[in-house]
Amino acid sequence: MVATVLGTSVVSAVSAAPAVKPAASSAQVQNSTLTINGNSVVVRSIVKNGETLVSLRDVIKAIGAQAEVHSGTTVIKLNDHSVTLQNNSKQIVVDDVKVNLNQPVTIIGGTSYIALRPLVSGVGGTIVKRNGLLEISTVSLLEEAENPRFAGADKLIVSKSNNDGRTDYLVNTTSGKYDLLLTTDGGSDLVISPSGDQAAYTNAEGAVYVIDLKTKASKLITSDNSIKPELVWSADGSAIYFLQGDKGSVIAKLNLADGVITKVVEDKVDYKENLNVSADGKKFIYTVTTLGTVTSDTTNVDEDNVSIDFSSNQQQIFSYNTGNTKPEAVKLTTSTDDKVFVWSADGQKAYYVSVPSEDGKASLLSVDSSQKSTPVYAEYDVEQAILSGGILYILAAQDDSNSVILSIDPVTGKQTKLYTVSSDVSSISVAGSQISVVENGRVLVQAGGSWRAVTK
């Protein structure tokens, strides 16, 4: 990593104010503004032979590193890394590995100046450029996190699971700092509110809680212990819809103000999943799965000769409009393909990824009450689709080495290729202009054209 960044100058990324002190050489000491671990920091800097060097003392203080000086040698320690350097030397030692510098460590007015990138990389930090300014993070990152979801600006909820349950963390996407949010055993995933400042979840008994993401305090909304396999926030954040019962037969609504539960759809149709709710709360899109059938004598199902025919297993998309005079479930699809990543903005048209039963590319389709599926995207093999802010976002495998992330406007059909990423990217998360990916177990966020790791 260090070798990769050494040749990159940071001149264009440093915001320089007028010179504050003349230097002993042609270099002038300037005040430069950097973002370090989420904070705006002013450090002294010089430009030497086209490369920006920063005050070693200022950067050490800003990143909170330890420094020891013995016989002209400075040893900097942070995050189990060490950087050893000497004044006027064009070489530093990073964790016992020698690294060459383009410019020697330079002394001006009793202060040592060094290139920023090798110093930050040496202590395990990262640097990205956004809006013309450098953003530096030297925070020790959370390990082995998964399932990233944006929670407002510059915040992600991620989770870690083990045999004892699941732990959720709130991660600052600028600095990488993280805070413990919730520990649960048997509870549901946190579902973030439209405003991004709250999240809902159920405990193992089915009770519903809402956690304030600022105070990290949870509030019990209802102790109703019916199974709630899916939670969906209303558009205005005043209620939560959910599937009720172990078979997901009922669609119910939980009022957050008083905890009252109302059954909205009770059509006796089991195995609902992928619940989507329209903004007005009257229209619903969901899938229904039909199970295999017993093909042998059903009078004694305990006998060994009982067999089940799974060929009839199908998942179909349905819509339901409670505003109709005689509301009823409307079957939108009849095909036998697997249907994943089902989304709807209005409760009438659904978007889904169609996975063929045999070898072939998965594609993004749309369907409405006409029961006619229409291709939306089929160029590359679709791995994931997200509907966010009325825009579709797709992760698709381009070839064995690369995948692409693109956006599609459902109204105009305009497709925009956003990024080419490694085929190791397994999922994406989107909220407004914010986008994250999971690559080889790490969560990275897009920042000014670069990908910044926020977990490791």
Side-chain angles (χ1 to χ4, degrees):
M1 177 178 177
V2 174
T4 301
V5 299
L6 286 181
T8 306
S9 172
V10 299
V11 174
S12 62
V14 176
S15 174
V20 296
K21 181 180 179 180
S25 65
S26 58
Q28 286 186 315
V29 178
Q30 301 174 316
N31 284 338
S32 300
T33 301
L34 308 174
T35 298
I36 299 180
N37 296 332
N39 300 311
S40 181
V41 178
V42 176
V43 301
R44 289 166 292 176
S45 67
I46 63 171
V47 177
K48 186 173 183 180
N49 297 324
E51 185 175 24
T52 297
L53 311 183
V54 294
S55 164
L56 182 63
R57 183 183 306 168
D58 293 349
V59 174
I60 289 174
K61 180 180 178 181
I63 64 178
Q66 294 181 333
E68 299 177 355
V69 180
H70 297 287
S71 303
T73 299
T74 301
V75 179
I76 304 161
K77 295 182 178 181
L78 184 69
N79 298 334
D80 296 324
H81 295 283
S82 69
V83 177
T84 303
L85 58 89
Q86 292 181 327
N87 290 331
N88 303 314
S89 173
K90 291 186 69 174
Q91 192 176 77
I92 61 176
V93 178
V94 177
D95 298 334
D96 298 324
V97 177
K98 294 180 180 180
V99 176
N100 294 325
L101 303 176
N102 292 330
Q103 311 298 326
V105 180
T106 301
I107 302 294
I108 295 181
T111 298
S112 300
Y113 291 82
I114 186 174
L116 181 64
R117 288 188 180 272
L119 175 61
V120 170
S121 299
V123 294
T126 59
I127 300 178
V128 298
K129 183 173 127 180
R130 181 160 61 172
N131 299 327
L133 294 178
L134 287 183
E135 292 187 355
I136 299 161
S137 176
T138 58
V139 174
S140 181
L141 301 180
L142 183 67
E143 294 186 46
E144 299 178 351
E146 57 188 6
N147 192 19
R149 291 140 287 164
F150 284 101
D154 301 323
K155 295 286 191 302
L156 274 176
I157 291 178
V158 298
S159 305
K160 295 179 65 174
S161 300
N162 55 35
N163 293 333
D164 298 323
R166 190 190 74 247
T167 305
D168 300 306
Y169 298 88
L170 192 63
V171 178
N172 185 302
T173 59
T174 299
S175 67
K177 294 180 180 178
Y178 59 92
D179 296 308
L180 175 64
L181 192 58
L182 180 71
T183 299
T184 180
D185 183 9
S188 72
D189 284 340
L190 292 172
V191 181
I192 301 167
S193 67
S195 63
D197 57 6
Q198 299 180 96
Y201 65 96
T202 64
N203 66 8
E205 288 72 41
V208 179
Y209 292 81
V210 169
I211 183 170
D212 186 309
L213 298 181
K214 293 182 180 179
T215 65
K216 303 176 181 61
S218 290
K219 177 183 178 182
L220 175 65
I221 304 301
T222 178
S223 57
D224 173 77
N225 61 2
S226 63
I227 296 175
K228 304 172 181 67
E230 293 186 27
L231 303 179
V232 178
W233 283 85
S234 65
D236 62 4
S238 67
I240 293 173
Y241 295 87
F242 60 91
L243 299 176
Q244 191 174 44
D246 57 349
K247 295 182 180 180
S249 305
V250 172
I251 300 176
K253 177 182 178 180
L254 170 62
N255 189 302
L256 297 184
D258 54 19
V260 172
I261 295 175
T262 306
K263 291 183 178 179
V264 181
V265 176
E266 191 174 12
D267 55 5
K268 299 184 176 16
V269 177
D270 297 336
Y271 305 112
K272 294 183 178 70
E273 295 178 289
N274 299 303
L275 179 63
N276 285 259
V277 184
S278 64
D280 61 9
K282 295 181 179 180
K283 296 178 284 293
F284 304 87
I285 291 285
Y286 51 88
T287 61
V288 173
T289 301
T290 57
L291 301 181
T293 56
V294 177
T295 58
S296 62
D297 184 1
T298 60
T299 60
N300 188 353
V301 295
D302 292 327
E303 293 186 5
D304 292 339
N305 63 354
V306 170
S307 60
I308 300 177
D309 178 13
F310 290 101
S311 63
S312 60
N313 279 28
Q314 291 184 11
Q315 187 179 56
Q316 305 298 350
I317 301 174
F318 286 77
S319 67
Y320 194 101
N321 188 346
T322 60
N324 290 342
T325 304
K326 294 182 178 181
E328 61 180 356
V330 177
K331 192 175 185 179
L332 304 184
T333 61
T334 57
S335 58
T336 59
D337 55 336
D338 288 335
K339 302 170 183 68
V340 295
F341 302 109
V342 180
W343 297 96
S344 177
D346 57 9
Q348 300 182 86
K349 175 183 285 189
Y351 299 92
Y352 66 98
V353 175
S354 171
V355 182
S357 56
E358 299 179 357
D359 291 341
K361 293 187 299 183
S363 58
L364 180 66
L365 306 178
S366 69
V367 67
D368 56 22
S369 58
S370 68
Q371 292 190 330
K372 180 181 178 181
S373 294
T374 303
V376 178
Y377 179 84
E379 182 177 358
Y380 298 131
D381 190 20
V382 178
E383 299 179 319
Q384 184 184 359
I386 293 176
L387 181 63
S388 176
I391 300 296
L392 291 160
Y393 295 87
I394 297 172
L395 173 67
Q398 178 174 299
D399 50 46
D400 291 340
S401 301
N402 300 293
S403 294
V404 295
I405 301 173
L406 54 95
S407 65
I408 299 177
D409 187 326
V411 177
T412 64
K414 180 182 177 182
Q415 298 184 10
T416 303
K417 183 178 177 180
L418 302 176
Y419 308 103
T420 298
V421 294
S422 165
S423 59
D424 292 328
V425 170
S426 57
S427 67
I428 62 175
S429 178
V430 182
S433 60
Q434 302 181 105
I435 185 166
S436 72
V437 301
V438 176
E439 180 186 48
N440 290 327
R442 298 187 307 159
V443 179
L444 302 97
V445 296
Q446 177 57 215
S450 301
W451 293 99
R452 175 198 295 125
V454 295
T455 71
K456 62 180 180 180

